[in-house]
Amino acid sequence: MPSELTVHAVCEGGMRYAVAAGEHSFTLDYPLSPGDATAGATPLQTLLGCLAVCSGTTVDLVLRRMQQPVEGLEVRARGQRRDEHPTVLTEIALEFEVRGAGVSGDAVERALKIAEDQLCPVWAMLKPGTPITTSFTITC
């Protein structure tokens, strides 16, 4: 049965919003002019962060279920944003750094495929409209 997720966003002036998600809160902001200071991440930066966290936790979980000796995982997400409105992301690159002596490259490739095709909801929502590429390194 589907479940409902909710957030509540309140304008605090300009393009700055206070966002509440259950017991958690954060600030999102958007510069009115390029280079303006912001009081929080922009919505597109937050979207990239959501993809990085969702894909990273999924890959980490799958690798651990494969009994890979993962000691840590980092994800860097880069998005190319078009200049014209709407200023959507036209492509995204995900770079995974998996830490752990003995982690198999084949296992990481399988975990990435499972995350993309089956488990990561943010990736599933974005990929029909935005090309997403991946790369990874394994470090000890």
Side-chain angles (χ1 to χ4, degrees):
M1 171 161 240
S3 59
E4 181 178 72
L5 303 175
T6 63
V7 299
H8 182 219
V10 177
C11 184
E12 294 184 325
M15 302 281 278
R16 183 180 66 244
Y17 277 77
V19 182
E23 296 177 14
H24 306 283
S25 61
F26 51 95
T27 300
L28 293 180
D29 201 356
Y30 202 91
L32 292 174
S33 300
D36 283 356
T38 59
T42 69
L44 288 177
Q45 287 172 322
T46 305
L47 181 63
L48 283 174
C50 291
L51 176 59
V53 170
C54 189
S55 62
T57 57
T58 303
V59 167
D60 186 56
L61 175 68
V62 170
L63 287 171
R64 291 177 192 280
R65 287 187 177 167
M66 292 177 174
Q67 298 184 353
Q68 293 294 302
V70 176
E71 295 175 9
L73 193 141
E74 294 183 25
V75 183
R76 288 172 188 78
R78 291 179 293 115
Q80 295 298 313
R81 186 184 79 157
R82 74 178 190 184
D83 292 332
E84 303 83 27
H85 288 279
T87 56
V88 299
L89 296 176
T90 57
E91 60 186 77
I92 297 172
L94 296 174
E95 301 169 4
F96 294 81
E97 180 183 335
V98 181
R99 288 188 306 280
V103 173
S104 160
D106 288 342
V108 175
E109 287 178 6
R110 285 194 312 274
L112 285 168
K113 187 74 173 145
I114 290 168
E116 176 184 358
D117 293 344
Q118 299 175 27
L119 296 178
C120 178
V122 177
W123 203 334
M125 289 181 64
L126 290 174
K127 84 177 196 177
T130 308
I132 301 171
T133 59
T134 62
S135 62
F136 69 90
T137 57
I138 300 169
T139 59
C140 300

